[in-house]
Amino acid sequence: MDVFCKIVNGDIPCYKVYEDEVCLAFLDVNPVSKGHTIVVPKQHFEEALDCDMEVYLHIMKVVKTLATTWVNKLDAKGCNIVTNAKEVAGQTVPHFHVHIIPRYSDEDGYRAEYVKQEGLDLVEIMHVLTVE
Ligand code: 5GP
């Protein structure tokens, strides 16, 4: 059983900040900024890609509400809303979760780096990806 299932079951304690019938939100045990929060579905899904759509939409509604509230309550200047899907994308806990990371300055402990990759044919990729 993964660590977030254990938290949902009450087998591991957490600093709970929100709960409803579908999801639980608690403080990240390794916070990268003040108020760094994890929102998880109570039902187990490995990651965003395999999450049931209704559950996913519910989670994202809660995330938006909490993120807005956190920014106001903590007097943050913004926030990152992040989900990592699978190991290659940096996921370490195999239970769908969304990070809410309030941001105060570029000294916060969160880094998202976009490094342009040369040689990608955007026309070709557009044709592959265009949804009719
Ligand atoms: P990921 O890298 O999978 O997107 O993020 C997993 C997050 O879960 C990490 O930020 C890590 O600090 C957090 N985490 C891992 N184990 C626990 C735990 O037992 N309790 C809490 N509250 N957070 C955890």
Side-chain angles (χ1 to χ4, degrees):
M1 190 187 284
D2 71 80
V3 71
F4 291 165
C5 276
K6 288 182 183 165
I7 288 175
V8 167
N9 286 347
D11 299 334
I12 293 181
C14 72
Y15 296 98
K16 180 169 81 177
V17 288
Y18 175 81
E19 180 174 19
D20 63 27
E21 62 288 354
V22 176
C23 70
L24 182 66
F26 49 87
L27 299 182
D28 195 295
V29 78
N30 302 304
V32 298
S33 76
K34 185 169 73 176
H36 180 180
T37 299
I38 300 279
V39 185
V40 302
K42 290 182 171 176
Q43 193 180 344
H44 178 83
F45 297 100
E46 293 274 316
E47 22 71 4
L49 303 178
D50 82 337
C51 185
D52 170 82
M53 186 61 90
E54 259 189 51
V55 173
Y56 181 84
L57 293 175
H58 180 90
I59 295 276
M60 296 316 287
K61 269 191 190 176
V62 168
V63 164
K64 184 186 189 305
T65 303
L66 296 185
T68 306
T69 307
W70 278 201
V71 167
N72 288 330
K73 274 193 172 180
L74 296 170
D75 208 18
K77 294 191 176 125
C79 71
N80 292 98
I81 293 172
V82 181
T83 189
N84 300 320
K86 300 194 188 287
E87 208 176 322
V88 70
Q91 185 177 12
T92 58
V93 177
H95 181 125
F96 172 43
H97 56 281
V98 180
H99 297 256
I100 300 170
I101 304 171
R103 296 300 303 269
Y104 306 89
S105 77
D106 57 12
E107 304 288 300
D108 299 326
Y110 178 72
R111 304 278 178 275
E113 196 183 3
Y114 293 84
V115 180
K116 184 178 179 187
Q117 301 291 287
E118 299 300 336
L120 294 175
D121 183 337
L122 297 188
V123 174
E124 184 195 329
I125 297 163
M126 176 189 70
H127 286 309
V128 171
L129 297 183
T130 297
V131 179
E132 301 298 339

